[in-house]
Amino acid sequence: MALGDAWKQLSWFYYQYLLVTALYMLEPWERTVFNSLLITVAAMAVYTGYVFMPQHIMAILHYFEVVQ
Amino acid sequence: MTESAGNKKEDCHAANGVKPGRNGMVKNHHHHHQYQKQEKVYHAACNGELYSRPFIESFEETPMLVAVLTYMGYGILTIFGYLRDFMREWKIEKCHIAREREEQKDFVPLYQDFENFYTRNLYMRIRDSWNRPICGVPGAKFDLVERSSKDYNWTFEYTGRVVKNVINLGSYNYLGFAENTGSCATAAGDVTVKFGVGVASTRQEMGNLDRHEELEKLVASFLGVESAMAFAMGFATNSMNIPAIAGKGCLILSDELNHASLVLGARLSGSTIRVFKHNNMQSLEKLLRDAIVHGQPRTHRPWKKILILVEGIYSMEGSIIRLPEVIALKKKYKAYLYLDEAHSIGALGPSGRGVVEYFGLDPKDVDIMMGTFTKSFGASGGYIGGRKDLIDYLRTHSHSAIYATSMSPPVLEQIITSMKCIMGEDGMTIGRSRIQRLAENTVYFRRRLREMGFIIYGNNDSPVVPMMLYMPAKIGAFGREMLKRNIGVVVVGFPATPIIESRARFCISAAHSKEMLDRALDVISEVGDLLQLKYSRHKALPSLDRPFDETTYEENEE
């Protein structure tokens, strides 16, 4: 079943992420704290990109004199 | 210049002319693509004066990405460690560790240094991989008492179950003499009936049994030295006898990675200690030359004696000491050599006489040969062998002889029986066949692990096999996953190893059959894929599995 395989693959990736960042050794509440922090920072980065991307693209095009 | 510099011309011993931090054949670029034929290349081009057999040792460098990720992992653990310490300090969380009493808070702190931080916050989290209780003989397989923990390894409870037949890859049981059946155990039982278990005295007073004298004669003939002396504890042999041999005004040159007992003995002696880089003969020679040219620090008087402390096999690295070069240096600069063969006695050499026989050298060249009976003989205790006047001096001046209880009779008997078995004096070939099986197992296991793609440190002939894990979470994960699949391994991290180089250490035994090794290798490969441990970037082509119908020592002498 494709969904089952995808789920297995995802949980293997999550296990590798836990091992590399040493979250494997931490207690569940510590993992929650770390993951929330990480997701918050990532979400803020994505949001900032979303808000400012049009301005940045216009500035680039203006620099290369593609658009006035 | 010197004999060791003569080796610099020979590229085959890659570790000789290369910088100290890069010991290993893997940096030898023009041999790289000839990996398969490397053993032949080494043998033909080798410096025939000092080494009669190829000396292949490798310490592959840590991959950069792995090092960065390991540091990152330790950084995250440190941050959470500070957070937990903060919570413990402000009583948000219950504190399980030893703390100073309220009245002593203004004194100099007893419990606050980095190693304690490490113990509280990192070691405790994966503590279930160590101190596992065993309920049987630690032979090729053993039984383990199952434990569980409800408060994340601060306390353990026994579930009441016993995990049976766990394959033992951690015990120092090189020749398989840790057994409760067979001639050694029967002899030990008979002697217990005759002599009892306790000796109740020190060697100098009433504790000198006739069996002790017989053991010492046997050890002396086993090693090929004039005389030997046996002590009840291996650690105490080093730490109590080096102070008797060296003192103020002497210089001790000790290897970087020497065992704690050697370091303690050297410090207790009061001599000046200088450290040379691990197995690096250029570093040792430089220190010798500086010592002889400049003499003692302020007065510039010549040193009373210079003692070089080395080990036969280093158990954390799996490397074998470059004994021919050390002996050449010692003879040239007139220093004394103290060789600690804790892991190599019984495990190396065609008839198990240790690293001196492995290189084909004369035992009389090594001034003080020390070893332990714990590893290959299945007993406990240590010995020192050398010239008769040295041993007579030690009998009267060693702290261990004067103050420590002498060896217990059943342990003595185990050593005597196993040593006679290894020497072949009991008329059977068990000893010889065990030594051969150990050599075969070692070569096979190391080759297979290397082919799978793990990073293995050390010499090809050493039965101690350290496999690198690097990341802190993988230390705990490896120990637990292997136990789930019924294999018991020893994992080591800081402070026994440098902080990013944590490893799993396998000890091969003659008691392991090929099926056990194959099962262990399959499981290690499976766990290695699960935890992504196959870091090696040198893809070795698997060589043909030759049938072992002759000893592995004889085939190298073509």
Side-chain angles (χ1 to χ4, degrees):
Chain A
M1 179 79 162
L3 208 59
D5 283 340
W7 183 247
K8 270 211 198 68
Q9 190 69 351
L10 266 178
S11 71
W12 185 83
F13 273 121
Y14 182 63
Y15 187 62
Q16 296 306 311
Y17 158 76
L18 286 180
L19 283 176
V20 166
T21 56
L23 288 185
Y24 176 89
M25 290 164 63
L26 298 178
E27 298 175 21
W29 67 268
E30 289 167 331
R31 283 186 201 173
T32 321
V33 164
F34 186 84
N35 285 335
S36 332
L37 268 170
L38 193 66
I39 291 177
T40 314
V41 169
M44 285 194 279
V46 166
Y47 178 70
T48 312
Y50 171 74
V51 164
F52 285 103
M53 202 48 79
Q55 280 178 292
H56 286 155
I57 293 178
M58 287 307 287
I60 294 170
L61 291 177
H62 193 74
Y63 179 79
F64 285 119
E65 288 165 19
V66 172
V67 76
Q68 295 309 324
Chain B
M1 226 169 73
T2 70
E3 286 143 288
S4 62
N7 289 346
K8 277 188 190 156
K9 297 194 285 278
E10 309 288 341
D11 281 317
C12 64
H13 292 300
N16 273 346
V18 183
K19 278 188 300 216
R22 293 186 172 214
N23 272 346
M25 64 177 180
V26 295
K27 290 294 163 191
N28 206 359
H29 32 271
H30 68 275
H31 282 301
H32 190 66
H33 51 271
Q34 293 182 48
Y35 189 82
Q36 241 181 334
K37 292 188 259 171
Q38 237 164 7
E39 280 165 81
K40 295 254 191 262
V41 172
Y42 279 93
H43 186 68
C46 266
N47 187 345
E49 304 158 25
L50 288 183
Y51 287 91
S52 59
R53 57 186 307 128
F55 187 86
I56 306 172
E57 216 167 66
S58 79
F59 300 92
E60 192 177 326
E61 223 176 67
T62 312
M64 176 66 82
L65 179 62
V66 173
V68 167
L69 290 175
T70 311
Y71 280 123
M72 179 187 85
Y74 274 110
I76 294 176
L77 286 171
T78 312
I79 294 175
F80 275 100
Y82 280 127
L83 175 67
R84 297 295 291 268
D85 273 350
F86 175 78
M87 287 167 55
R88 284 185 200 117
E89 179 72 34
W90 286 88
K91 308 276 188 297
I92 303 175
E93 183 196 350
K94 178 163 173 284
C95 183
H96 294 269
I97 50 143
R99 308 216 77 184
E100 292 146 0
R101 297 197 345 241
E102 279 305 314
E103 299 87 8
Q104 292 175 322
K105 275 285 180 243
D106 291 323
F107 289 15
V108 172
L110 275 177
Y111 295 119
Q112 299 283 86
D113 40 54
F114 180 65
E115 262 133 48
N116 233 290
F117 175 87
Y118 178 85
T119 310
R120 273 198 307 276
N121 298 309
L122 275 78
Y123 174 75
M124 279 297 173
R125 296 185 191 270
I126 46 173
R127 193 162 77 119
D128 55 309
S129 298
W130 292 287
N131 290 331
R132 291 180 181 151
I134 297 179
C135 53
V137 173
K141 290 194 179 178
F142 61 90
D143 301 332
L144 200 61
V145 181
E146 212 183 10
R147 311 181 283 182
S148 70
S149 174
K150 289 197 181 48
D151 51 358
Y152 299 102
N153 293 345
W154 287 100
T155 57
F156 287 106
E157 293 120 17
Y158 296 120
T159 59
R161 282 189 295 270
V162 168
V163 183
K164 290 211 163 290
N165 288 335
V166 179
I167 296 182
N168 188 358
L169 287 178
S171 291
Y172 304 132
N173 186 15
Y174 299 132
L175 293 178
F177 279 112
E179 48 194 7
N180 53 359
T181 54
S183 58
C184 300
T186 335
D190 293 337
V191 142
T192 314
V193 168
K194 185 173 166 206
F195 281 96
V197 174
V199 182
S201 186
T202 66
R203 228 21 228 287
Q204 274 201 347
E205 295 170 7
M206 287 281 196
N208 196 12
L209 308 175
D210 54 353
R211 301 302 279 163
H212 283 118
E213 308 268 324
E214 194 183 318
L215 171 67
E216 290 175 356
K217 286 204 201 55
L218 188 63
V219 169
S221 79
F222 182 73
L223 298 171
V225 291
E226 279 177 24
S227 170
M229 185 175 176
F231 303 91
M233 182 176 163
F235 189 99
T237 311
N238 271 334
S239 50
M240 297 294 121
N241 285 310
I242 296 179
I245 301 172
K248 276 184 85 73
C250 303
L251 176 65
I252 292 186
L253 297 175
S254 109
D255 190 292
E256 205 175 21
L257 299 177
N258 267 340
H259 191 252
S261 56
L262 289 165
V263 171
L264 184 62
R267 287 184 188 166
L268 277 177
S269 68
S271 325
T272 313
I273 307 175
R274 300 213 177 129
V275 171
F276 63 93
K277 297 203 178 9
H278 176 61
N279 230 359
N280 188 324
M281 296 299 117
Q282 281 76 26
S283 174
L284 176 58
E285 187 170 11
K286 180 174 186 313
L287 282 182
L288 278 166
R289 289 176 83 90
D290 284 346
I292 293 183
V293 164
H294 297 294
Q296 299 192 24
R298 275 178 297 276
T299 56
H300 292 293
R301 289 206 199 126
W303 296 100
K304 280 201 212 146
K305 62 168 89 89
I306 301 182
L307 186 64
I308 306 176
L309 291 185
V310 287
E311 290 188 36
I313 291 185
Y314 290 89
S315 64
M316 275 304 150
E317 308 283 311
S319 55
I320 299 183
I321 180 70
R322 293 173 182 277
L323 200 57
E325 296 176 51
V326 174
I327 288 190
L329 278 176
K330 159 197 116 89
K331 284 185 178 160
K332 176 170 181 177
Y333 292 103
K334 300 204 177 34
Y336 296 105
L337 181 59
Y338 184 107
L339 178 66
D340 177 346
E341 286 202 85
H343 285 271
S344 53
I345 191 74
L348 286 183
S351 64
R353 312 285 162 121
V355 69
V356 170
E357 200 200 7
Y358 174 75
F359 285 115
L361 300 166
D362 185 8
K364 304 224 182 324
D365 283 337
V366 180
D367 302 293
I368 306 157
M369 291 181 74
M370 178 264 172
T372 59
F373 299 117
T374 327
K375 279 78 179 188
S376 300
F377 300 98
S380 76
Y383 65 84
I384 290 196
R387 288 175 43 182
K388 189 163 185 316
D389 36 9
L390 168 74
I391 301 296
D392 287 341
Y393 175 80
L394 277 182
R395 275 188 221 278
T396 41
H397 287 86
S398 155
H399 293 290
S400 193
I402 304 172
Y403 298 109
T405 321
S406 45
M407 215 184 262
S408 167
V411 173
L412 257 189
E413 202 58 34
Q414 159 81 20
I415 302 169
I416 293 180
T417 324
S418 59
M419 205 175 262
K420 285 193 175 150
C421 185
I422 295 175
M423 287 163 85
E425 275 180 21
D426 54 352
M428 294 190 281
T429 54
I430 294 183
R432 188 105 203 174
S433 67
R434 281 188 187 197
I435 297 172
Q436 276 178 17
R437 204 157 62 228
L438 175 65
E440 288 164 13
N441 284 353
T442 305
V443 168
Y444 176 68
F445 196 77
R446 276 182 168 266
R447 180 174 59 82
R448 283 285 304 273
L449 275 183
R450 207 162 248 137
E451 281 165 14
M452 285 178 194
F454 293 102
I455 296 185
I456 307 288
Y457 273 13
N459 196 303
N460 267 8
D461 286 322
S462 106
V464 180
V465 185
M467 184 180 97
M468 304 309 287
L469 299 174
Y470 299 115
M471 299 184 195
K474 294 190 184 182
I475 306 174
F478 190 75
R480 288 177 196 154
E481 295 292 326
M482 293 297 279
L483 189 59
K484 265 191 227 166
R485 294 165 176 76
N486 247 21
I487 304 214
V489 294
V490 169
V491 288
V492 223
F494 182 82
T497 64
I499 190 137
I500 52 165
E501 290 171 21
S502 52
R503 54 200 78 175
R505 188 180 68 176
F506 304 114
C507 291
I508 308 300
S509 161
H512 287 135
S513 63
K514 192 148 186 299
E515 293 78 35
M516 280 189 228
L517 285 185
D518 283 334
R519 163 114 215 287
L521 284 163
D522 290 336
V523 167
I524 293 172
S525 184
E526 185 192 329
V527 173
D529 282 327
L530 176 66
L531 299 179
Q532 293 290 293
L533 289 173
K534 299 188 177 176
Y535 300 118
S536 180
R537 287 175 298 192
H538 300 95
K539 296 284 170 269
L541 302 159
S543 46
L544 288 169
D545 210 4
R546 282 165 310 186
F548 282 103
D549 52 359
E550 49 187 7
T551 65
T552 40
Y553 292 97
E554 282 161 4
E555 73 191 358
N556 277 334
E557 282 161 10
E558 69 225 298

